[in-house]
Amino acid sequence: MTTSPVPERPAEVYRPRVHLDRTSPVPLYHQIASVLQEAIVSGEIAAHTRIENELAMADRLRVSRPTARRALQELVDKGMLVRKRGVGTEVAPEIIRRAVELTSLHDDLAAAGRRPRTEVLDYEVRPADAEVARRLQLDVGQEVVHVRRLRYADDEPLALMTNVIRADLAPSRQDLEADGLYASLRARGVRLRLAHQTIGARQATAAESRILHEPARAAVLTMERVAIADTDTIVELGTHIYRASRYTFQTTLVAH
C-alpha cells in the first residue's frame, strides 16, 4: 500500500492592512509603501517574510498593478525588501547600523546580538613597497602582512575587508579567523588610540558583487582607515567595502 506525500504548507504571506485615502495628495503607491515600511521598522514583520505579490495586492486594495508594483519597488530601492526569482518579494535581512567609532565590525556585530564569522581569503607576508612604507612610516622592503577577509553576519556576507598591517604587530591567520582584527591586536598588547577615516560609496565590481551576493553594479559603501596606536605607531591601513543594502554608518553631530 502506498501513501501520497503530505503536501508542504505554503509559507505565510504578509498582506499589508492599508486604509487608502484616495482624496489625499499623497500617491497611493507611497501610502502602501509607508504602511509596509512601518511594519518592517517596528518589527511587526520579520526578516525573510514573504510579501503578497503585486497582482494580489492590486486586486485586494483595488489599485492598478503598476501602483502596487511601484509600492514594492520603493522599498526594494531602500533595501528593505528583496526580490527573489522563484520565491517572490521578501523582507530583507536586518540592516546593520554602525556608529562611526574606533571599533571593529566583529565587536559591533557581537554587541548587537548578531553572529559574526570571518573567512580569511588571503594572508601574505611581503615587503612594503614605497607607498605602503610611506603610509605606515616604515622602511621600503620592511615586512608587512596583507590580509583580505570576508565578514559574515548570521552567515550572510556583509563586508569585504583588506588590511595592510605591520608584520611585527600582525595577528596570525588563525587569530583573524577566530576574532576581529582589533581584538586580536589588543591580545598582542596593541592599544589603538585614534584613526583617520574616509567613508564613501561606489558601484561594486563584478567580483565584489559575486562574493557579497549582490546584483551586478550594486552600490557599496567604502571605508578607508589608518589606525594609530597609543605609542603613535601607525599599525594598519584598512580598505573595506560594505553592502549598502545591509549596512549603514551612523554619526552624531553636536552644534557648537
Side-chain angles (χ1 to χ4, degrees), residues 14-185:
Y14 182 82
R15 298 172 176 82
R17 297 181 293 277
V18 184
H19 300 288
L20 295 174
D21 182 354
R22 300 177 190 273
T23 66
S24 170
V26 178
L28 296 179
Y29 77 85
H30 188 69
Q31 293 183 46
I32 298 169
S34 296
V35 170
L36 262 173
Q37 178 170 325
E38 175 59 29
I40 294 169
V41 171
S42 68
E44 178 184 340
I45 47 178
H48 307 293
T49 299
R50 283 182 56 199
I51 303 299
E52 177 181 34
N53 67 52
E54 61 193 40
L55 186 60
M57 181 184 292
D59 183 62
R60 183 173 62 83
L61 298 179
R62 294 186 295 113
V63 297
S64 68
R65 186 171 182 179
T67 294
R69 181 185 305 118
R70 190 169 179 183
L72 295 177
Q73 188 61 44
E74 181 170 314
L75 298 187
V76 170
D77 292 342
K78 290 182 177 181
M80 304 183 81
L81 295 178
V82 292
R83 299 186 188 275
K84 294 186 176 181
R85 186 182 301 275
V87 176
T89 304
E90 291 185 349
V91 178
E94 182 182 357
I95 294 176
I96 306 297
R97 295 177 174 85
R98 183 183 181 191
V100 181
E101 298 174 350
L102 186 50
T103 57
S104 75
L105 177 57
H106 185 283
D107 293 346
D108 289 342
L109 290 172
R114 306 299 292 270
R115 184 160 43 87
R117 178 169 65 85
T118 304
E119 181 180 351
V120 177
L121 304 176
D122 299 295
Y123 186 100
E124 181 182 359
V125 180
R126 64 176 78 159
D129 60 23
E131 176 62 15
V132 168
R134 181 187 65 82
R135 297 185 67 191
L136 285 176
Q137 296 182 359
L138 300 173
D139 294 328
V140 174
Q142 191 169 336
E143 287 190 338
V144 294
V145 176
H146 285 249
V147 182
R148 187 164 172 261
R149 297 169 293 155
L150 182 60
R151 175 63 46 75
Y152 292 82
D154 300 329
D155 291 326
E156 182 181 31
L158 179 65
L160 186 61
M161 304 178 293
T162 302
N163 300 84
V164 182
I165 314 164
R166 293 177 57 113
D168 56 337
L169 301 178
S172 68
R173 183 182 191 123
Q174 292 73 25
D175 289 339
L176 294 174
E177 288 174 340
D179 215 335
L181 172 59
Y182 289 176
S184 297
L185 287 170

